[in-house]
Amino acid sequence: FAKQEYYKGEKADEEYQKQYFENLNNKGSKAGDEKEVPRTEQKAFTRLSPDAIDLINEDWDDNERTSMMWEIIKDADIEEFLSILQDHPELAHIRSEDGRGPMWWAHEYGRPKMIQILRQLGVSEDRSDTNGIKPKDITHERIKGSI
């Protein structure tokens, strides 16, 4: 039994060291960039039906949920983003009063990981806001051509 615990501890040390050195290597990333989330903390996403997605996209409103999602994306808080969408996948599809939502904000602030997650959840990049602007129309220069 003691030997098993030793090996478990050794594996945990190896994983810690691996993450430590990955973080050191990422020190040169730009301020405001999304942080990497260890795979062990990621859970699967639930994708809504096309009908449910359409229904959510019909309701455009400025409220606490849209403000919360905008702030999380603006702040590049990938951990909070993942946590919320794992528990509430419908929030990927919400729209503010101007017709924009998480996909627009992720493009605007240059959040490629968030864009990938939103795509996994079925968020369209072909929908338009009140001015006919699509998410790809406002993609941040830093990520244009790479997403």
Side-chain angles (χ1 to χ4, degrees):
F1 180 74
K3 199 172 200 176
Q4 272 184 324
E5 290 301 314
Y6 171 77
Y7 286 120
K8 283 183 187 174
E10 188 174 299
K11 284 189 183 217
D13 286 345
E14 285 175 21
E15 182 62 26
Y16 170 80
Q17 288 176 359
K18 179 182 170 193
Q19 288 179 4
Y20 175 81
F21 286 110
E22 283 176 8
N23 288 337
L24 278 179
N25 291 334
N26 291 334
K27 267 192 172 181
S29 61
K30 296 176 185 168
D33 283 353
E34 300 164 304
K35 298 172 199 153
E36 194 67 39
V37 175
R39 282 225 180 275
T40 55
E41 292 180 23
Q42 294 180 17
K43 296 188 296 191
F45 292 106
T46 302
R47 188 172 178 150
L48 303 178
S49 72
D51 289 340
I53 291 170
D54 287 342
L55 191 61
I56 294 167
N57 273 277
E58 290 174 7
D59 184 24
W60 295 8
D61 187 29
D62 289 336
N63 56 46
E64 290 176 6
R65 297 176 324 146
T66 54
S67 296
M68 174 190 66
M69 289 302 291
W70 175 81
E71 191 166 330
I72 288 168
I73 294 167
K74 176 185 71 76
D75 293 343
D77 190 345
I78 191 75
E79 290 179 31
E80 185 69 13
F81 185 78
L82 289 169
S83 176
I84 285 174
L85 292 180
Q86 287 162 346
D87 294 336
H88 302 282
E90 71 279 4
L91 294 181
H93 303 278
I94 60 173
R95 309 273 292 272
S96 62
E97 194 172 299
D98 63 2
R100 294 188 179 188
M103 187 63 85
W104 280 263
W105 305 321
H107 274 274
E108 180 180 14
Y109 288 104
R111 308 289 186 240
K113 291 174 192 150
M114 292 179 175
I115 292 168
Q116 287 175 330
I117 291 163
L118 292 168
R119 285 175 179 160
Q120 287 175 1
L121 289 166
V123 180
S124 174
E125 291 169 283
D126 294 325
R127 295 184 189 264
S128 300
D129 69 6
T130 55
N131 297 313
I133 296 171
K134 297 178 180 183
K136 289 183 177 182
D137 296 337
I138 59 171
T139 301
H140 193 282
E141 288 296 320
R142 181 170 41 94
I143 64 167
K144 267 192 180 170
S146 68
I147 55 166

